[in-house]
Amino acid sequence: QWRLDAAGLTPAEGESRGYLARLRGLQAPESPKTFKSGASLRKTSDGRDVHVVTWRVERWSSLPAGFRQGARYRPPGPAPWSLDLYKGGIKKERPGFVSLYVHYAAPSPDSTAKVAALELSLLHQDGGAHLTRRHEGKRVFGAKADLVKKISTSAGTAALAHVVLTQVEALGFVKDDAVVLRAEVEMAPTVRVL
C-alpha cells in the first residue's frame, strides 16, 4: 500500500486511493529539514528492532538513468542493510519509474534475517509530504536466494510510488541536486522455545 504523509497529518493506513489524493487539506509546510546518510536502530513498542537506513543521494542529475542502471548505498558500520536505486526502473512493464530496493548484506554464508515489514520512502526536504510505501508480511533474507525456502537477498518497490523520473523533480523532491531515500526494516519477533 502507498501513502503520502502530509506534514502534520496522521497517515491513513489501508487507503487504496492514488497517492496524489492523499494530501488531505492545505497546511503551511514545515521548515526545511537536513537529512544525512547513515544507519540507525530503534525499537518498536513491543521491543523489536527496526533498522533505519537513510541515503542522501548527492549529484542526483549525474546518476545513470537508463533501464536497469543502478547505484547502491551501504552505510558505514555493522548494519547489514543497504539500498539499491534504479532511476530508470528495473521492470520491463514499468520503464522510467524510479525503483528502490533494500538489500541484505549477510555477514556469513548461513546468515538469515526474518523481517516483519519494510517501509521505503522518498523524503521531501522542504517540509512537504513524503512518499512512502509499506510492505507488510514476513520475509526471509539470506546470503543466497532460495525459491524453495522463500529466501531473497533483496526486496522493494516495483516502482517507487509509481513516480516517473521526471516527476521526482516536478514534485519538489530534488533539492541542491540531491534526493533523500529511506528504508525502515522491522524485524520479525524472535520465537523462544520453552
Side-chain angles (χ1 to χ4, degrees):
Q1 87 195 29
W2 289 107
R3 74 171 189 263
L4 189 60
D5 295 346
L9 297 179
T10 304
E13 295 292 343
E15 286 187 356
S16 59
R17 290 177 289 148
Y19 64 91
L20 291 177
R22 309 268 170 84
L23 284 174
R24 298 175 299 280
L26 297 173
Q27 291 201 345
E30 292 179 1
S31 301
K33 296 180 179 177
T34 303
F35 296 98
K36 294 181 180 177
S37 295
S40 61
L41 183 67
R42 64 178 172 81
K43 297 276 188 187
T44 62
S45 56
D46 59 356
R48 285 178 287 147
D49 287 342
V50 178
H51 295 270
V52 181
V53 179
T54 304
W55 181 13
R56 181 179 165 82
V57 186
E58 304 282 355
R59 296 183 296 281
W60 173 258
S61 60
S62 65
L63 280 181
F67 179 67
R68 285 188 176 269
Q69 290 184 326
R72 174 171 289 170
Y73 170 68
R74 174 84 193 261
W81 304 100
S82 56
L83 293 178
D84 291 348
L85 167 69
Y86 298 88
K87 274 177 74 175
I90 197 170
K91 301 275 187 183
K92 286 183 182 175
E93 63 274 16
R94 293 186 181 275
F97 284 82
V98 180
S99 299
L100 179 63
Y101 286 78
V102 63
H103 179 82
Y104 179 63
S108 75
D110 299 322
S111 295
T112 57
K114 292 179 181 173
V115 172
L118 289 173
E119 192 166 283
L120 300 168
S121 302
L122 177 60
L123 303 183
H124 202 290
Q125 301 173 76
D126 277 330
H130 302 324
L131 199 52
T132 298
R133 183 173 192 184
R134 185 171 175 86
H135 298 268
E136 299 281 355
K138 194 171 104 176
R139 303 164 188 250
V140 180
F141 289 83
K144 297 178 182 176
D146 186 329
L147 295 177
V148 177
K149 295 180 180 176
K150 297 184 178 175
I151 294 176
S152 63
T153 57
S154 61
T157 66
L160 188 57
H162 306 294
V163 171
V164 180
L165 183 56
T166 53
Q167 290 178 304
V168 173
E169 188 166 342
L171 293 171
F173 287 102
V174 181
K175 182 179 179 183
D176 300 327
D177 200 24
V179 164
V180 182
L181 305 167
R182 178 172 289 165
E184 297 192 25
V185 183
E186 184 180 316
M187 306 308 292
T190 11
V191 179
R192 291 194 179 106
V193 180
L194 300 176

